[in-house]
Amino acid sequence: QVKGQVVAFFWANWCRPCAKYTPTVEKMSESFGDSAAFLSVNIEEDKDGVRAFGVDRIPTLVVYERGVERDRLTGQRTQDDVFGFLAQHLR
């Protein structure tokens, strides 16, 4: 079981909003990498795994704490929305 926080970023190469999220997610990973694990999940490479996590839209960011989902952000959002969402959950 994972201890601490995990942020999973579900995306696809063909998804334009996903491409807009990527720099913000990478920046947050650099800033909070000591306190949270960041996972990048290409939905085209692991379709069964994606369904197991209940992801039906992309981009999707999911924050887990000690293996339990705490919150998710789905769909097209601004970079400020993504930053705010992650900053709210990461410590």
Coordinates of all heavy atoms in Angstrom, one line a residue:
Q1 N 0.8 -1.2 0.0 CA 0.0 0.0 0.0 C 0.9 1.2 0.0 O 1.9 1.3 0.7 CB -0.9 0.0 1.2 CG -1.8 1.2 1.3 CD -2.9 1.1 2.3 OE1 -2.9 0.1 3.0 NE2 -3.7 2.1 2.5
V2 N 0.5 2.2 -0.8 CA 1.2 3.5 -0.9 C 1.0 4.3 0.4 O -0.2 4.5 0.8 CB 0.8 4.3 -2.1 CG1 1.4 5.6 -2.2 CG2 1.1 3.5 -3.4
K3 N 2.0 4.9 0.9 CA 1.9 5.8 2.0 C 2.0 7.2 1.5 O 2.8 7.4 0.6 CB 3.0 5.5 3.1 CG 2.9 4.2 3.7 CD 4.0 3.9 4.7 CE 3.8 2.6 5.3 NZ 4.9 2.3 6.3
G4 N 1.3 8.1 2.0 CA 1.3 9.5 1.6 C 0.4 9.7 0.4 O -0.5 9.0 0.2
Q5 N 0.7 10.8 -0.4 CA -0.2 11.2 -1.4 C 0.4 10.8 -2.8 O 1.6 10.7 -3.0 CB -0.3 12.7 -1.4 CG -1.0 13.2 -0.2 CD -1.1 14.7 -0.2 OE1 0.0 15.4 -0.1 NE2 -2.3 15.3 -0.2
V6 N -0.6 10.5 -3.7 CA -0.3 10.2 -5.1 C -1.2 11.0 -5.9 O -2.4 11.1 -5.7 CB -0.5 8.7 -5.4 CG1 -0.3 8.4 -6.8 CG2 0.4 7.8 -4.5
V7 N -0.6 11.6 -7.0 CA -1.4 12.3 -8.0 C -1.3 11.6 -9.3 O -0.2 11.3 -9.8 CB -0.9 13.8 -8.1 CG1 -1.7 14.5 -9.3 CG2 -1.0 14.6 -6.8
A8 N -2.4 11.1 -9.8 CA -2.5 10.4 -11.1 C -3.0 11.4 -12.1 O -4.1 12.0 -11.9 CB -3.3 9.2 -11.0
F9 N -2.3 11.5 -13.2 CA -2.7 12.4 -14.3 C -3.0 11.4 -15.5 O -2.1 10.8 -16.1 CB -1.5 13.3 -14.7 CG -1.7 14.2 -15.9 CD1 -2.9 14.7 -16.2 CD2 -0.7 14.4 -16.8 CE1 -3.1 15.5 -17.3 CE2 -0.8 15.2 -17.9 CZ -2.0 15.7 -18.2
F10 N -4.3 11.4 -15.9 CA -4.8 10.5 -17.0 C -4.9 11.4 -18.2 O -5.6 12.4 -18.2 CB -6.1 9.9 -16.6 CG -6.0 9.0 -15.4 CD1 -6.2 9.4 -14.1 CD2 -5.8 7.6 -15.6 CE1 -6.1 8.6 -13.1 CE2 -5.7 6.7 -14.6 CZ -5.9 7.2 -13.3
W11 N -4.3 10.9 -19.3 CA -4.2 11.8 -20.5 C -4.1 10.9 -21.8 O -4.0 9.7 -21.7 CB -3.0 12.7 -20.4 CG -1.7 11.9 -20.3 CD1 -1.2 11.4 -19.2 CD2 -0.8 11.6 -21.3 NE1 0.0 10.7 -19.5 CE2 0.3 10.9 -20.8 CE3 -0.7 11.9 -22.7 CZ2 1.3 10.4 -21.5 CZ3 0.3 11.4 -23.5 CH2 1.3 10.7 -22.9
A12 N -4.0 11.5 -22.9 CA -3.8 10.8 -24.2 C -3.1 11.8 -25.1 O -3.2 13.0 -25.0 CB -5.1 10.4 -24.9
N13 N -2.3 11.3 -26.1 CA -1.5 12.1 -27.0 C -2.4 13.0 -27.9 O -2.1 14.1 -28.2 CB -0.7 11.2 -28.0 CG 0.4 10.6 -27.3 OD1 1.0 11.1 -26.3 ND2 0.8 9.4 -27.7
W14 N -3.6 12.5 -28.2 CA -4.5 13.3 -29.1 C -5.3 14.3 -28.4 O -6.1 15.1 -29.0 CB -5.4 12.3 -29.8 CG -6.1 11.3 -29.0 CD1 -5.6 10.0 -28.8 CD2 -7.2 11.5 -28.1 NE1 -6.5 9.4 -27.9 CE2 -7.4 10.2 -27.5 CE3 -8.1 12.5 -27.9 CZ2 -8.5 10.1 -26.6 CZ3 -9.1 12.4 -27.0 CH2 -9.3 11.1 -26.3
C15 N -5.2 14.4 -27.1 CA -6.0 15.3 -26.2 C -5.3 16.7 -26.1 O -4.4 16.8 -25.3 CB -6.2 14.6 -24.9 SG -7.0 15.7 -23.6
R16 N -5.9 17.7 -26.7 CA -5.3 19.0 -26.6 C -5.4 19.6 -25.2 O -4.4 20.2 -24.8 CB -6.0 20.0 -27.6 CG -5.6 19.7 -29.0 CD -6.2 20.7 -30.0 NE -5.7 20.5 -31.3 CZ -5.3 21.4 -32.1 NH1 -5.4 22.7 -31.7 NH2 -4.9 21.1 -33.3
P17 N -6.5 19.5 -24.5 CA -6.5 20.0 -23.1 C -5.4 19.3 -22.2 O -4.8 19.9 -21.4 CB -7.9 19.7 -22.6 CG -8.7 19.7 -23.8 CD -7.8 19.1 -24.9
C18 N -5.2 18.0 -22.5 CA -4.2 17.3 -21.7 C -2.8 17.9 -21.9 O -2.0 18.1 -21.0 CB -4.1 15.8 -22.2 SG -5.6 14.9 -21.9
A19 N -2.5 18.3 -23.2 CA -1.2 19.0 -23.5 C -1.1 20.3 -22.7 O 0.0 20.6 -22.3 CB -1.1 19.2 -25.0
K20 N -2.2 21.0 -22.5 CA -2.1 22.2 -21.7 C -1.9 22.0 -20.2 O -1.3 22.8 -19.6 CB -3.4 23.0 -21.9 CG -3.6 23.6 -23.3 CD -4.9 24.3 -23.4 CE -5.1 24.8 -24.9 NZ -6.3 25.5 -25.0
Y21 N -2.4 20.9 -19.7 CA -2.1 20.5 -18.3 C -0.7 20.1 -18.0 O -0.2 20.4 -16.9 CB -3.0 19.3 -17.9 CG -4.4 19.4 -17.5 CD1 -5.2 20.4 -18.1 CD2 -4.9 18.6 -16.5 CE1 -6.5 20.5 -17.7 CE2 -6.2 18.8 -16.1 CZ -7.0 19.7 -16.7 OH -8.3 19.8 -16.3
T22 N -0.1 19.5 -19.0 CA 1.2 18.9 -18.8 C 2.3 19.8 -18.1 O 2.9 19.4 -17.1 CB 1.8 18.3 -20.1 OG1 0.8 17.3 -20.5 CG2 3.1 17.6 -19.9
P23 N 2.5 21.0 -18.6 CA 3.5 21.8 -17.9 C 3.2 22.1 -16.5 O 4.1 22.2 -15.6 CB 3.5 23.1 -18.8 CG 2.9 22.8 -20.1 CD 1.9 21.7 -19.8
T24 N 1.9 22.3 -16.2 CA 1.6 22.6 -14.8 C 1.8 21.4 -13.9 O 2.3 21.5 -12.8 CB 0.1 23.1 -14.7 OG1 -0.1 24.2 -15.5 CG2 -0.3 23.4 -13.3
V25 N 1.4 20.2 -14.4 CA 1.6 19.0 -13.6 C 3.0 18.7 -13.4 O 3.5 18.4 -12.3 CB 0.9 17.8 -14.3 CG1 1.2 16.5 -13.6 CG2 -0.6 18.0 -14.4
E26 N 3.9 19.0 -14.5 CA 5.3 18.8 -14.3 C 5.9 19.7 -13.3 O 6.7 19.3 -12.5 CB 6.0 18.9 -15.7 CG 5.7 17.8 -16.6 CD 6.3 18.0 -18.0 OE1 6.7 19.1 -18.3 OE2 6.2 17.0 -18.8
K27 N 5.5 21.0 -13.3 CA 6.0 22.0 -12.4 C 5.6 21.6 -10.9 O 6.4 21.7 -10.0 CB 5.4 23.4 -12.7 CG 6.0 24.5 -11.8 CD 5.4 25.8 -12.2 CE 6.2 26.3 -13.4 NZ 5.9 27.7 -13.7
M28 N 4.3 21.1 -10.8 CA 3.9 20.7 -9.4 C 4.6 19.5 -9.0 O 5.0 19.4 -7.8 CB 2.4 20.5 -9.4 CG 1.6 21.7 -9.7 SD 1.8 23.0 -8.5 CE 0.8 22.4 -7.2
S29 N 4.9 18.6 -9.9 CA 5.7 17.4 -9.5 C 7.1 17.8 -9.0 O 7.6 17.2 -8.1 CB 5.8 16.5 -10.8 OG 6.7 15.4 -10.5
E30 N 7.7 18.8 -9.7 CA 9.0 19.2 -9.2 C 8.9 19.9 -7.9 O 9.8 19.7 -7.0 CB 9.6 20.2 -10.2 CG 10.0 19.6 -11.6 CD 10.3 20.6 -12.6 OE1 10.4 21.8 -12.3 OE2 10.5 20.2 -13.8
S31 N 7.9 20.7 -7.6 CA 7.7 21.4 -6.4 C 7.3 20.5 -5.2 O 7.8 20.7 -4.1 CB 6.6 22.5 -6.5 OG 7.0 23.4 -7.5
F32 N 6.5 19.5 -5.5 CA 5.9 18.7 -4.4 C 6.4 17.2 -4.5 O 5.9 16.4 -3.8 CB 4.4 18.7 -4.4 CG 3.8 20.1 -4.0 CD1 3.5 21.0 -5.0 CD2 3.7 20.4 -2.7 CE1 3.0 22.2 -4.7 CE2 3.1 21.6 -2.4 CZ 2.8 22.5 -3.4
G33 N 7.4 17.0 -5.3 CA 7.9 15.6 -5.5 C 8.3 14.9 -4.2 O 8.3 13.7 -4.1
D34 N 8.8 15.7 -3.2 CA 9.2 15.1 -1.9 C 8.0 14.6 -1.1 O 8.2 13.7 -0.3 CB 10.0 16.1 -1.1 CG 11.4 16.4 -1.8 OD1 11.8 15.6 -2.7 OD2 12.0 17.4 -1.5
S35 N 6.9 15.2 -1.3 CA 5.7 14.8 -0.4 C 4.6 14.0 -1.2 O 3.7 13.5 -0.5 CB 5.1 16.1 0.1 OG 4.6 17.0 -0.9
A36 N 4.7 13.9 -2.5 CA 3.7 13.2 -3.2 C 4.4 12.5 -4.4 O 5.3 13.0 -5.0 CB 2.6 14.1 -3.7
A37 N 3.8 11.4 -4.8 CA 4.3 10.7 -6.0 C 3.3 11.1 -7.1 O 2.1 11.2 -6.9 CB 4.2 9.2 -5.8
F38 N 3.9 11.4 -8.3 CA 3.1 11.8 -9.5 C 3.2 10.7 -10.5 O 4.3 10.2 -10.8 CB 3.7 13.1 -10.0 CG 3.3 14.3 -9.3 CD1 3.9 14.6 -8.1 CD2 2.3 15.1 -9.8 CE1 3.5 15.7 -7.3 CE2 1.9 16.3 -9.1 CZ 2.5 16.6 -7.8
L39 N 2.0 10.2 -11.0 CA 1.9 9.2 -12.0 C 1.3 9.8 -13.2 O 0.3 10.5 -13.2 CB 1.1 8.0 -11.5 CG 1.5 7.4 -10.2 CD1 0.4 6.3 -9.8 CD2 2.8 6.7 -10.4
S40 N 1.9 9.5 -14.4 CA 1.3 9.9 -15.6 C 0.8 8.7 -16.4 O 1.6 7.7 -16.6 CB 2.4 10.6 -16.5 OG 2.0 11.0 -17.7
V41 N -0.5 8.6 -16.6 CA -1.1 7.5 -17.2 C -1.7 7.8 -18.6 O -2.7 8.5 -18.7 CB -2.2 6.9 -16.3 CG1 -2.8 5.7 -16.8 CG2 -1.7 6.7 -14.9
N42 N -1.1 7.2 -19.6 CA -1.6 7.4 -21.0 C -2.7 6.4 -21.1 O -2.5 5.2 -21.1 CB -0.5 7.1 -22.0 CG -0.9 7.3 -23.4 OD1 -2.1 7.2 -23.7 ND2 0.0 7.7 -24.3
I43 N -4.0 6.9 -21.3 CA -5.1 6.0 -21.4 C -5.1 5.0 -22.6 O -5.8 4.0 -22.5 CB -6.4 6.8 -21.4 CG1 -6.6 7.6 -22.6 CG2 -6.6 7.6 -20.1 CD1 -8.0 8.0 -22.9
E44 N -4.3 5.4 -23.6 CA -4.2 4.5 -24.7 C -3.4 3.3 -24.5 O -3.5 2.2 -25.1 CB -3.6 5.3 -25.9 CG -4.5 6.4 -26.4 CD -5.9 5.9 -27.0 OE1 -5.9 4.9 -27.7 OE2 -6.9 6.4 -26.7
E45 N -2.5 3.4 -23.5 CA -1.6 2.3 -23.2 C -2.1 1.3 -22.1 O -1.6 0.2 -22.0 CB -0.2 2.8 -22.7 CG 0.5 3.6 -23.8 CD 1.8 4.2 -23.4 OE1 2.1 4.1 -22.2 OE2 2.4 4.9 -24.2
D46 N -3.1 1.7 -21.3 CA -3.6 0.9 -20.2 C -5.1 1.1 -20.1 O -5.6 1.6 -19.1 CB -2.9 1.2 -18.9 CG -3.2 0.3 -17.8 OD1 -3.9 -0.7 -18.1 OD2 -2.7 0.5 -16.7
K47 N -5.9 0.7 -21.1 CA -7.3 0.9 -21.1 C -8.0 0.2 -19.9 O -8.9 0.8 -19.3 CB -7.9 0.6 -22.4 CG -7.5 1.5 -23.5 CD -8.1 1.1 -24.9 CE -7.5 2.0 -25.9 NZ -8.0 1.7 -27.2
D48 N -7.6 -1.0 -19.6 CA -8.3 -1.7 -18.5 C -8.0 -1.1 -17.2 O -8.9 -0.9 -16.3 CB -7.8 -3.2 -18.5 CG -8.3 -4.0 -19.7 OD1 -9.4 -3.6 -20.2 OD2 -7.7 -5.0 -20.0
G49 N -6.8 -0.6 -17.0 CA -6.4 0.0 -15.8 C -7.1 1.3 -15.6 O -7.6 1.7 -14.5
V50 N -7.3 2.1 -16.7 CA -8.0 3.3 -16.6 C -9.5 3.1 -16.2 O -10.0 3.8 -15.3 CB -8.0 4.0 -18.0 CG1 -8.9 5.2 -18.0 CG2 -6.5 4.5 -18.2
R51 N -10.1 2.1 -16.7 CA -11.5 1.8 -16.3 C -11.6 1.4 -14.9 O -12.5 1.7 -14.2 CB -12.1 0.7 -17.2 CG -12.5 1.2 -18.6 CD -13.4 0.1 -19.3 NE -12.6 -1.0 -19.8 CZ -11.9 -0.9 -21.0 NH1 -12.0 0.1 -21.7 NH2 -11.2 -2.0 -21.4
A52 N -10.6 0.7 -14.4 CA -10.5 0.3 -13.0 C -10.5 1.5 -12.0 O -11.0 1.4 -10.9 CB -9.4 -0.6 -12.7
F53 N -9.9 2.6 -12.5 CA -9.9 3.8 -11.7 C -11.1 4.7 -11.9 O -11.2 5.8 -11.4 CB -8.6 4.6 -12.0 CG -7.4 4.0 -11.4 CD1 -6.5 3.3 -12.2 CD2 -7.1 4.1 -10.1 CE1 -5.4 2.7 -11.7 CE2 -6.0 3.5 -9.5 CZ -5.1 2.8 -10.3
G54 N -12.0 4.3 -12.7 CA -13.3 5.0 -13.0 C -13.1 6.3 -13.8 O -13.8 7.2 -13.6
V55 N -12.0 6.3 -14.6 CA -11.8 7.5 -15.5 C -12.5 7.3 -16.8 O -12.3 6.4 -17.5 CB -10.3 7.7 -15.7 CG1 -10.0 8.8 -16.7 CG2 -9.6 7.9 -14.4
D56 N -13.4 8.2 -17.1 CA -14.2 8.1 -18.3 C -14.1 9.4 -19.2 O -14.6 9.5 -20.2 CB -15.7 7.8 -18.0 CG -16.3 8.8 -17.1 OD1 -15.7 9.8 -16.7 OD2 -17.5 8.7 -16.8
R57 N -13.3 10.4 -18.7 CA -13.0 11.6 -19.4 C -11.6 12.0 -19.2 O -11.0 11.7 -18.1 CB -13.9 12.7 -18.9 CG -15.4 12.6 -19.3 CD -16.2 13.7 -18.7 NE -15.7 15.0 -19.1 CZ -16.0 16.1 -18.5 NH1 -16.9 16.1 -17.5 NH2 -15.5 17.3 -18.9
I58 N -11.0 12.7 -20.2 CA -9.7 13.2 -20.0 C -9.6 14.6 -20.4 O -10.5 15.0 -21.2 CB -8.6 12.4 -20.7 CG1 -8.9 12.3 -22.2 CG2 -8.4 11.0 -20.1 CD1 -7.8 11.8 -23.0
P59 N -8.7 15.4 -19.9 CA -7.8 15.0 -18.8 C -8.5 14.9 -17.5 O -9.5 15.5 -17.2 CB -6.8 16.2 -18.8 CG -7.6 17.4 -19.3 CD -8.6 16.8 -20.3
T60 N -7.9 14.0 -16.7 CA -8.3 13.8 -15.3 C -7.1 13.8 -14.4 O -6.2 13.1 -14.6 CB -9.1 12.5 -15.2 OG1 -10.3 12.6 -15.9 CG2 -9.5 12.2 -13.7
L61 N -7.2 14.5 -13.3 CA -6.2 14.5 -12.2 C -6.9 13.9 -11.0 O -8.0 14.3 -10.6 CB -5.7 15.9 -11.8 CG -4.8 16.5 -12.8 CD1 -4.7 18.0 -12.5 CD2 -3.4 15.9 -12.7
V62 N -6.3 12.9 -10.4 CA -6.9 12.3 -9.2 C -5.9 12.3 -8.1 O -4.7 11.9 -8.3 CB -7.3 10.8 -9.4 CG1 -8.0 10.2 -8.2 CG2 -8.2 10.7 -10.6
V63 N -6.3 12.8 -6.9 CA -5.4 12.8 -5.7 C -5.8 11.7 -4.8 O -7.0 11.6 -4.4 CB -5.5 14.2 -5.0 CG1 -4.7 14.2 -3.7 CG2 -5.1 15.3 -5.9
Y64 N -4.9 10.8 -4.5 CA -5.1 9.7 -3.5 C -4.3 10.0 -2.3 O -3.1 10.5 -2.4 CB -4.6 8.4 -4.1 CG -5.3 8.0 -5.4 CD1 -4.8 8.3 -6.6 CD2 -6.5 7.3 -5.3 CE1 -5.5 8.0 -7.8 CE2 -7.2 6.9 -6.5 CZ -6.7 7.3 -7.7 OH -7.3 6.9 -8.8
E65 N -4.8 9.6 -1.2 CA -4.1 9.7 0.1 C -4.2 8.4 0.8 O -5.3 7.9 1.1 CB -4.6 10.8 1.0 CG -3.7 11.1 2.2 CD -4.0 12.4 2.9 OE1 -4.6 13.3 2.3 OE2 -3.6 12.5 4.0
R66 N -3.0 7.8 1.0 CA -2.9 6.4 1.6 C -3.8 5.4 0.8 O -4.5 4.6 1.4 CB -3.2 6.5 3.1 CG -2.2 7.2 3.9 CD -2.5 7.2 5.4 NE -1.4 7.9 6.1 CZ -1.5 9.2 6.4 NH1 -2.5 9.9 6.0 NH2 -0.5 9.7 7.0
G67 N -3.8 5.6 -0.5 CA -4.6 4.6 -1.3 C -6.1 4.9 -1.5 O -6.8 4.2 -2.2
V68 N -6.6 6.0 -0.9 CA -8.0 6.4 -1.0 C -8.1 7.6 -1.8 O -7.4 8.6 -1.6 CB -8.6 6.6 0.4 CG1 -10.0 7.1 0.4 CG2 -8.4 5.4 1.3
E69 N -9.0 7.6 -2.8 CA -9.3 8.8 -3.6 C -9.8 9.9 -2.7 O -10.8 9.7 -2.0 CB -10.2 8.5 -4.7 CG -10.4 9.7 -5.6 CD -11.3 9.5 -6.8 OE1 -11.4 8.3 -7.3 OE2 -11.9 10.4 -7.3
R70 N -9.2 11.1 -2.8 CA -9.6 12.3 -2.0 C -10.4 13.2 -2.9 O -11.3 13.9 -2.5 CB -8.4 13.0 -1.4 CG -7.8 12.2 -0.3 CD -8.8 12.0 0.8 NE -8.2 11.1 1.8 CZ -8.9 10.3 2.6 NH1 -10.2 10.3 2.6 NH2 -8.3 9.6 3.5
D71 N -10.0 13.4 -4.2 CA -10.6 14.4 -5.0 C -10.1 14.2 -6.5 O -9.1 13.5 -6.7 CB -10.3 15.8 -4.6 CG -11.3 16.8 -5.0 OD1 -12.2 16.5 -5.7 OD2 -11.1 18.0 -4.7
R72 N -10.9 14.7 -7.4 CA -10.5 14.6 -8.8 C -10.9 15.9 -9.5 O -11.9 16.5 -9.2 CB -11.0 13.3 -9.5 CG -12.4 13.2 -9.8 CD -12.8 12.0 -10.6 NE -12.3 10.8 -10.1 CZ -12.1 9.6 -10.8 NH1 -12.5 9.6 -12.0 NH2 -11.6 8.5 -10.2
L73 N -10.2 16.2 -10.6 CA -10.5 17.3 -11.4 C -10.5 16.7 -12.9 O -9.6 16.1 -13.3 CB -9.3 18.4 -11.3 CG -9.5 19.7 -12.1 CD1 -10.6 20.5 -11.5 CD2 -8.2 20.4 -12.1
T74 N -11.6 17.0 -13.5 CA -11.9 16.3 -14.8 C -12.3 17.4 -15.9 O -13.0 18.3 -15.5 CB -13.0 15.3 -14.7 OG1 -12.6 14.3 -13.7 CG2 -13.2 14.6 -16.0
G75 N -11.8 17.2 -17.1 CA -12.2 18.0 -18.2 C -11.3 19.2 -18.4 O -10.3 19.4 -17.7
Q76 N -11.6 20.0 -19.4 CA -10.8 21.1 -19.8 C -10.9 22.2 -18.7 O -12.0 22.6 -18.4 CB -11.3 21.6 -21.1 CG -10.4 22.7 -21.7 CD -10.7 23.0 -23.1 OE1 -11.4 22.3 -23.8 NE2 -10.2 24.1 -23.6
R77 N -9.8 22.6 -18.2 CA -9.7 23.6 -17.2 C -8.5 24.5 -17.6 O -7.6 24.2 -18.3 CB -9.4 23.1 -15.8 CG -10.4 22.1 -15.3 CD -11.8 22.7 -15.1 NE -12.8 21.7 -14.7 CZ -13.3 21.6 -13.5 NH1 -12.8 22.4 -12.5 NH2 -14.2 20.7 -13.2
T78 N -8.4 25.7 -16.9 CA -7.3 26.6 -17.1 C -6.1 26.0 -16.3 O -6.2 25.2 -15.4 CB -7.6 28.0 -16.6 OG1 -7.7 28.0 -15.2 CG2 -8.8 28.5 -17.3
Q79 N -4.9 26.5 -16.6 CA -3.7 26.2 -15.9 C -3.8 26.6 -14.4 O -3.4 25.9 -13.5 CB -2.4 26.7 -16.5 CG -2.0 26.0 -17.8 CD -0.7 26.5 -18.4 OE1 -0.3 27.6 -18.1 NE2 -0.1 25.7 -19.2
D80 N -4.4 27.8 -14.2 CA -4.7 28.3 -12.8 C -5.6 27.3 -12.1 O -5.3 27.1 -10.9 CB -5.3 29.7 -12.8 CG -4.3 30.7 -13.3 OD1 -3.0 30.5 -13.2 OD2 -4.7 31.8 -13.6
D81 N -6.6 26.8 -12.7 CA -7.5 25.8 -12.1 C -6.7 24.5 -11.6 O -6.8 24.0 -10.5 CB -8.6 25.3 -13.0 CG -9.6 26.4 -13.3 OD1 -9.7 27.4 -12.5 OD2 -10.3 26.2 -14.3
V82 N -5.8 24.1 -12.5 CA -5.0 22.9 -12.3 C -4.1 23.2 -11.1 O -3.9 22.4 -10.2 CB -4.2 22.4 -13.5 CG1 -3.3 21.3 -13.2 CG2 -5.2 22.0 -14.6
F83 N -3.4 24.3 -11.2 CA -2.4 24.7 -10.1 C -3.2 24.8 -8.8 O -2.7 24.2 -7.8 CB -1.7 26.0 -10.5 CG -0.7 26.4 -9.4 CD1 0.6 25.9 -9.5 CD2 -1.1 27.3 -8.4 CE1 1.5 26.3 -8.5 CE2 -0.2 27.6 -7.5 CZ 1.1 27.1 -7.5
G84 N -4.3 25.5 -8.8 CA -5.1 25.6 -7.5 C -5.5 24.3 -7.0 O -5.5 24.1 -5.8
F85 N -6.0 23.4 -7.8 CA -6.5 22.1 -7.4 C -5.3 21.4 -6.7 O -5.5 20.8 -5.6 CB -7.0 21.3 -8.6 CG -7.4 19.9 -8.3 CD1 -8.5 19.6 -7.6 CD2 -6.5 18.9 -8.6 CE1 -8.9 18.3 -7.3 CE2 -6.8 17.6 -8.4 CZ -8.0 17.3 -7.7
L86 N -4.2 21.3 -7.4 CA -3.1 20.6 -6.8 C -2.5 21.2 -5.5 O -2.2 20.5 -4.5 CB -2.0 20.4 -7.8 CG -2.3 19.5 -9.0 CD1 -1.2 19.5 -10.1 CD2 -2.6 18.1 -8.5
A87 N -2.4 22.5 -5.5 CA -1.9 23.3 -4.4 C -2.8 23.1 -3.2 O -2.3 23.0 -2.0 CB -1.8 24.7 -4.7
Q88 N -4.1 23.0 -3.4 CA -5.1 22.7 -2.3 C -4.8 21.4 -1.6 O -5.1 21.3 -0.4 CB -6.5 22.8 -2.9 CG -7.6 22.4 -2.0 CD -8.9 22.4 -2.8 OE1 -9.1 23.0 -3.8 NE2 -9.9 21.7 -2.2
H89 N -4.4 20.4 -2.4 CA -4.3 19.0 -1.8 C -2.9 18.6 -1.4 O -2.8 17.7 -0.6 CB -4.8 18.0 -2.9 CG -6.3 18.1 -3.1 ND1 -7.2 17.8 -2.2 CD2 -7.0 18.6 -4.1 CE1 -8.5 18.0 -2.6 NE2 -8.3 18.5 -3.8
L90 N -1.9 19.3 -2.0 CA -0.6 18.8 -1.6 C 0.0 19.7 -0.5 O -0.2 20.9 -0.4 CB 0.3 18.9 -2.9 CG -0.2 18.1 -4.1 CD1 0.7 18.4 -5.3 CD2 -0.2 16.6 -3.7
R91 N 0.8 19.0 0.3 CA 1.4 19.7 1.4 C 2.9 19.4 1.5 O 3.4 18.5 0.9 CB 0.8 19.4 2.7 CG 0.6 17.9 3.0 CD -0.2 17.8 4.3 NE -0.5 16.4 4.7 CZ -1.1 15.5 4.0 NH1 -1.5 15.7 2.8 NH2 -1.3 14.3 4.5

